Amino acid sequence: MKVVKSLLLGTAAGLIAVGGAQAADLPVKAKAVEYVKICSLYGAGFYYIPGSDTCIKLGGYLRAEVALNAGGNYSAQYNGVFAANNRLTNYYSMRAREDLNIDTRTATEYGVVRTYFDAVFTWTTGNYVGTGSGTGATAYSATTAGTSNLNPTDGGISGGSLGVYYAFIQFAGFTLGKSVSQFDAPWINYPGNNFDQLVGGSGTTNGVPQISYTADFGQGVTATFSVQDQTQIFQTNIWNTAGMTTTGVLGGAYGSSDFGGTRSPDIVGAVRVDQAWGLFQASVAAHDNHTGYYGATEVTGHPEDKWGWAVQLALSIKNIPTGAGDVINVSGVYTEGASRYNFQELAATSYSMFGSSNAAYQSIGFAGVSDAVFGPGGQLELTKTYGFRGAYTHNWSPYWNTALYGAWAAVNYNSAAKGLICGSAAFATLTGTCNPDFNIGQVGVITRWTPVKNLTFSADFVYSHLDQKYSGVITTPALTSVAKPAATYELKDQDTYSLLLRAQRNW
């Protein structure tokens, strides 16, 4: 054993000696160290990717928040168990979110090639809904779509979700991928960095797949043409009134949803003037309404497609006399058969709000937003909407600012659509006036404190009023999902309010 050990040690020592001699005899060129260099071409925060001429910037934020009398994505109590005003209604919801964005840019002979990616990881508390079992049983349901959840009474926890906001390429004036709609104003649906569900215009907070081209005429003047997917974001409802029920109506649905497959993307055009004084933008959109069938199969026939449209004007005024950095943002919109351009993607399209009553068991205000309505054998009846939104932001100091904001939107059904809706057996128990038109108004105030750079604490309060046009009383079967009994309800306008308290660290 000692002989073997001595042999191995001697062999190893010999190899080391030979290797050392070879290293000493041969010239060795040290590999150059590639340091990360600052890229000053595109603003602060960009660095060259080592070994390339591409600049990259990483950014994002982490936020923690609690919403009082609202859903986890700061959605007001407009429908579902949130608006039932009973023991299933949450008094608060909590959320934590991490956002990560990656911005890369490369200078080429065709201009800058840019890619942008933005994803969020979100955890949100859920709520309980009735199971309809007749025993009063409830089930836990997450408020964030796509989450996986375990019942917390069984020792589980609510799961989180991953979402992709933006993922696009920009090259030679083209934008290809998932980005903000070219129809939107630059502030999307946040004229005062405010409440998520503000009506009165378009707003693609989560982006929309598109192919767009922007021509730059200089002096801040640009024109854009775009085709964008309509399916995920720019559809509200196409109601087949043959599927109307009383319980569905009181939930804000005037029939069964009857979309057909997508036949055409939305076609969008916009002109923008962006200068030191502020900004003006005019946007138009065309939207194809394509249904399924009158009945269950193709032999029942179908209504022909109808194109809807929308137009929006937006104005921003900067450097106003009230203070440095103060700004006014306003926009107005009109739509026909394209209601999502007024009720943006986070806004509610069904309203079912309960309150007190002196004339019945309780009161209810219900309403629904659609792109079109049709009945058996009939044509599409396009829905008209119009509205506006705006905000004034004032900077009290470098650390404090406040925004006052508001919005209003109206939905109008034509006489044929009203005949289909109000003539349904779903309204057989109504004693009073049937009119599906409605208005929704919102007003709010948000104050932000930034004690140190990139760390902000905010409080956002909003009040909403549903101005529905029904009157009288209606008797309904039990509404099991929101644990409401079979009873007679007074038809009445409704009000609600919400408060969001948030801490956010940008980086």
Side-chain angles (χ1 to χ4, degrees):
M1 186 68 180
K2 290 182 178 179
V3 174
V4 174
K5 184 176 180 181
S6 299
L7 180 61
L8 290 173
L9 291 172
T11 303
L15 290 172
I16 292 171
V18 171
Q22 290 176 339
D25 294 341
L26 297 176
V28 177
K29 184 177 180 181
K31 185 177 181 181
V33 177
E34 294 184 342
Y35 295 99
V36 176
K37 297 186 297 183
I38 293 175
C39 174
S40 59
L41 298 175
Y42 310 111
F46 281 92
Y47 296 86
Y48 283 102
I49 298 174
S52 77
D53 59 355
T54 297
C55 299
I56 187 170
K57 179 180 181 180
L58 302 178
Y61 62 80
L62 191 146
R63 67 171 53 149
E65 62 192 33
V66 56
L68 306 179
N69 208 40
N73 63 339
Y74 198 24
S75 53
Q77 312 283 45
Y78 292 144
N79 52 45
V81 295
F82 299 108
N85 284 325
N86 60 16
R87 293 185 64 82
L88 301 186
T89 302
N90 283 347
Y91 286 175
Y92 71 90
S93 298
M94 304 183 76
R95 165 174 283 191
R97 167 173 287 173
E98 169 65 28
D99 177 279
L100 170 66
N101 56 71
I102 305 170
D103 192 344
T104 71
R105 306 189 192 190
T106 307
T108 74
E109 61 270 29
Y110 296 97
V112 175
V113 176
R114 182 192 185 197
T115 66
Y116 188 81
F117 173 79
D118 188 4
V120 291
F121 303 86
T122 305
W123 181 90
T124 309
T125 55
N127 57 277
Y128 283 89
V129 297
T131 62
S133 64
T135 64
T138 60
Y140 188 71
S141 172
T143 58
T144 303
T147 58
S148 58
N149 294 281
L150 300 174
N151 192 325
T153 60
D154 296 331
I157 59 173
S158 182
S161 66
L162 168 65
V164 176
Y165 277 177
Y166 311 122
F168 61 84
I169 299 170
Q170 288 181 321
F171 172 68
F174 287 92
T175 298
L176 312 170
K178 193 168 186 279
S179 181
V180 171
S181 171
Q182 306 301 321
F183 186 92
D184 292 353
W187 49 86
I188 318 177
N189 46 300
Y190 302 103
N193 194 17
N194 47 258
F195 175 61
D196 281 324
Q197 289 192 297
L198 212 61
V199 297
S202 175
T204 49
T205 306
N206 299 329
V208 57
Q210 63 187 268
I211 301 172
S212 304
Y213 177 75
T214 299
D216 190 339
F217 301 103
Q219 303 298 317
V221 180
T222 59
T224 301
F225 175 80
S226 177
V227 291
Q228 61 187 27
D229 175 60
Q230 66 155 271
T231 310
Q232 183 178 4
I233 293 175
F234 286 102
Q235 295 175 341
T236 57
N237 298 285
I238 295 181
W239 280 316
N240 185 341
T241 57
M244 285 181 64
T245 64
T246 304
T247 56
V249 162
L250 297 191
Y254 299 130
S256 53
S257 182
D258 204 347
F259 284 105
T262 305
R263 289 297 184 267
S264 173
D266 283 6
I267 302 170
V268 174
V271 175
R272 180 183 296 183
V273 179
D274 192 349
Q275 297 176 345
W277 60 266
L279 173 143
F280 172 79
Q281 179 174 317
S283 308
V284 295
H287 174 83
D288 178 45
N289 291 287
H290 179 79
T291 71
Y293 302 106
Y294 291 122
T297 66
E298 59 192 32
V299 298
T300 61
H302 60 82
E304 296 300 317
D305 288 17
K306 276 191 177 182
W307 281 83
W309 59 279
V311 58
Q312 178 175 268
L313 300 177
L315 177 67
S316 178
I317 303 175
K318 303 176 183 177
N319 303 317
I320 57 180
T322 56
D326 289 8
V327 62
I328 296 175
N329 295 324
V330 294
S331 62
V333 65
Y334 177 86
T335 77
E336 185 171 343
S339 299
R340 266 299 183 202
Y341 290 95
N342 189 354
F343 290 78
Q344 47 92 5
E345 66 165 315
L346 299 180
T349 57
S350 62
Y351 298 82
S352 180
M353 304 166 66
F354 290 85
S356 61
S357 172
N358 296 321
Y361 172 71
Q362 283 185 336
S363 66
I364 183 174
F366 62 89
V369 184
S370 67
D371 293 330
V373 175
F374 71 96
Q379 65 175 355
L380 289 178
E381 304 296 339
L382 300 184
T383 306
K384 297 179 181 179
T385 80
Y386 50 95
F388 64 87
R389 64 164 71 118
Y392 162 62
T393 301
H394 174 63
N395 294 278
W396 304 100
S397 74
Y399 309 102
W400 290 89
N401 69 31
T402 297
L404 297 173
Y405 63 87
W408 181 84
V411 175
N412 291 335
Y413 292 89
N414 65 26
S415 58
K418 289 177 180 176
L420 290 169
I421 293 170
C422 294
S424 168
F427 280 102
T429 60
L430 169 66
T431 302
T433 303
C434 178
N435 184 351
D437 294 350
F438 75 96
N439 307 322
I440 176 78
Q442 302 155 326
V443 62
V445 58
I446 179 172
T447 293
R448 290 169 287 263
W449 175 47
T450 306
V452 296
K453 184 179 181 180
N454 294 328
L455 176 63
T456 300
F457 300 90
S458 62
D460 187 354
F461 176 84
V462 62
Y463 164 80
S464 302
H465 176 73
L466 176 67
D467 175 20
Q468 52 90 59
K469 304 303 180 183
Y470 297 103
S471 66
V473 296
I474 190 169
T475 302
T476 178
L479 306 174
T480 56
S481 65
V482 293
K484 289 294 182 181
T488 298
Y489 294 86
E490 181 185 5
L491 306 182
K492 185 179 178 182
D493 295 353
Q494 301 292 330
D495 304 284
T496 188
Y497 60 89
S498 301
L499 174 67
L500 179 71
L501 303 175
R502 171 182 290 170
Q504 178 166 317
R505 169 73 162 94
N506 296 330
W507 58 276

